[in-house]
Amino acid sequence: MAAAFGTVFMPEMAITWFDGANWSVPEMVSSDSLTLHPGAHVLHYSSTCFEGLKAFRHEDGSVNIFRMDRNIARLSQSSDLLGLPHLNADVVAQMIKDTVARFADEVPAPPGSLYIRPTHIGTEPAIGKAAVPSDKSCFYVLVSPVGDYFAGGDKALRLLLEDQGMRCAPHMGMIKSGGNYASALQPIMKARQSVQADQVLFCPGGDVQETGAANFLLIDGNEIITKALDQSFLHGVTRDSILTLARDMGMDVQERELTVAELLERAAKPGCEAALSGTAAVLAPVGTLIYQGKEYAVGHGGVGETTRKLRKALNDIQWGQAEDTHGWLTRV
Ligand SMILES: *Cc1c(COP(=O)(O)O)cnc(C)c1O
């Protein structure tokens, strides 16, 4: 059996440290350990943010990173919102490219890829700084070869609609930061145990937002509906890419409020589909919604045709099997 997603790491990573005044010259170091003071800010006050993006091997042997600029911009925004030292986008890009290039020979062929995990943490040893940012930080780029996300079959997911709690504090939603996942864990654990849900779709006050680590898209015929960007949820690069491809195909893309009531009403229609978008899966089909103790099939409850078509359109670009008309790939 293949190793679980994200448990195998390449032996080296690019790293740089900010000492309060300057960033060190990035270097390649062993990726099996990191020395931190036990009082490091990140370990107490969660001054951490990260990214998830992928590099793909093409048939001509080249290795290509998908939408790196978008992930770097989001990391930079996360860092700024957490009060972490400012990252130089060019340095980050070079560190990502250097780390991928180092292991270019080991990037799996499609449907596999090299998953890239840039990480920025507050390292200042200062446990008195609960309400003050960390002056020192560390940024590194960890990489992990991953296989086919759908190796176990393309099975439609079960989502519990949670309209009472929320995934995280509303002003933190657009930051890709560790504390948000800690905040979502309890509701997800409860949903798995009580109704065998795969994920929780957070819909505070009836407003359909996202799951613990993926955005939500409703596909109803030619319409594709998803929440408009605001600071309460994570602005997925996959979400943006899928909406762009959907517009290219002539679909009616609607970024707007979607209520639980409208979702359940539309989901009952025979041709309706729903999907979760994120770097790991691109699009994962949703077959069942669970709300207030009742189960609702989305369309026929299986994997939707449009979901498959959109996923393939994105995979084709990532894998070098369709023209990269939007300039999304960076050759390493
Ligand atoms: C990472 C993430 C996503 C998906 O973002 P992509 O850029 O598409 O991978 C969505 N929601 C949350 C909470 C996330 O952490």
Side-chain angles (χ1 to χ4, degrees):
M1 209 185 109
F5 179 88
T7 58
V8 175
F9 299 100
M10 288 295 145
E12 291 178 24
M13 61 183 183
I15 193 166
T16 177
W17 299 81
F18 188 76
D19 65 5
N22 299 294
W23 285 99
S24 65
V25 174
E27 32 174 3
M28 280 288 175
V29 299
S30 168
S31 67
D32 67 0
S33 63
L34 185 68
T35 302
L36 289 180
H37 190 286
H41 197 270
V42 61
L43 301 176
H44 302 266
Y45 307 123
S46 295
S47 47
T48 167
C49 56
F50 65 91
E51 274 306 323
L53 67 165
K54 283 176 169 176
F56 299 91
R57 172 177 303 290
H58 288 186
E59 250 169 32
D60 63 4
S62 66
V63 171
N64 301 268
I65 307 173
F66 186 70
R67 301 200 79 177
M68 180 173 69
D69 56 330
R70 278 298 188 116
N71 290 89
I72 292 174
R74 191 170 66 188
L75 180 72
S76 181
Q77 177 176 270
S78 292
S79 297
D80 293 349
L81 290 169
L82 291 167
L84 279 165
H86 189 72
L87 288 164
N88 179 307
D90 295 333
V91 174
V92 171
Q94 196 57 51
M95 288 172 70
I96 292 173
K97 285 193 275 186
D98 287 349
T99 310
V100 173
R102 181 83 156 200
F103 300 106
D105 290 346
E106 288 166 85
V107 175
S113 60
L114 187 70
Y115 182 83
I116 308 165
R117 175 53 67 91
T119 307
H120 190 195
I121 56 175
T123 53
E124 188 183 1
I127 56 174
K129 284 195 157 184
V132 183
S134 174
D135 285 343
K136 299 184 167 68
S137 72
C138 171
F139 171 70
Y140 56 86
V141 180
L142 200 55
V143 291
S144 168
V146 296
D148 182 6
Y149 184 90
F150 296 101
D154 192 359
K155 153 180 135 343
L157 300 173
R158 291 165 57 81
L159 302 189
L160 175 69
L161 307 191
E162 167 60 67
D163 65 358
Q164 303 299 311
M166 42 181 96
R167 173 180 168 255
C168 62
H171 67 286
M172 295 292 287
M174 67 193 281
I175 312 178
K176 208 165 174 78
S177 182
N180 289 345
Y181 304 86
S183 160
L185 193 55
Q186 272 244 5
I188 296 171
M189 281 165 45
K190 276 194 197 137
R192 288 202 179 116
Q193 215 235 331
S194 62
V195 294
Q196 288 75 53
D198 296 297
Q199 290 295 333
V200 172
L201 179 56
F202 291 95
C203 313
D207 172 33
V208 179
Q209 289 187 335
E210 64 171 336
T211 64
N215 295 121
F216 179 81
L217 306 173
L218 180 67
I219 303 167
D220 184 0
N222 196 47
E223 295 170 84
I224 179 160
I225 305 166
T226 192
K227 184 172 168 63
L229 298 180
D230 67 20
Q231 63 175 9
S232 72
F233 75 107
L234 211 281
H235 304 176
V237 176
T238 315
R239 169 191 178 282
D240 182 79
S241 307
I242 290 290
L243 296 186
T244 301
L245 295 177
R247 283 191 196 97
D248 289 351
M249 289 173 189
M251 290 183 72
D252 173 14
V253 173
Q254 301 171 29
E255 294 179 75
R256 61 165 172 87
E257 297 307 297
L258 173 65
T259 63
V260 168
E262 182 182 356
L263 170 60
L264 293 178
E265 190 191 311
R266 286 191 183 246
K269 296 202 242 164
C272 198
E273 302 177 25
L276 298 182
S277 74
T279 294
V282 172
L283 277 185
V286 173
T288 307
L289 302 173
I290 307 160
Y291 183 60
Q292 294 181 342
K294 275 183 65 182
E295 299 204 4
Y296 301 81
V298 181
H300 55 64
V303 181
E305 277 318 302
T306 306
T307 300
R308 275 217 183 92
K309 185 176 83 176
L310 287 165
R311 184 206 295 158
K312 182 175 187 308
L314 188 53
N315 278 152
D316 282 350
I317 293 173
Q318 293 175 325
W319 299 348
Q321 293 165 5
E323 202 193 332
D324 176 22
T325 52
H326 296 281
W328 285 341
L329 297 175
T330 303
R331 207 177 164 126
V332 177

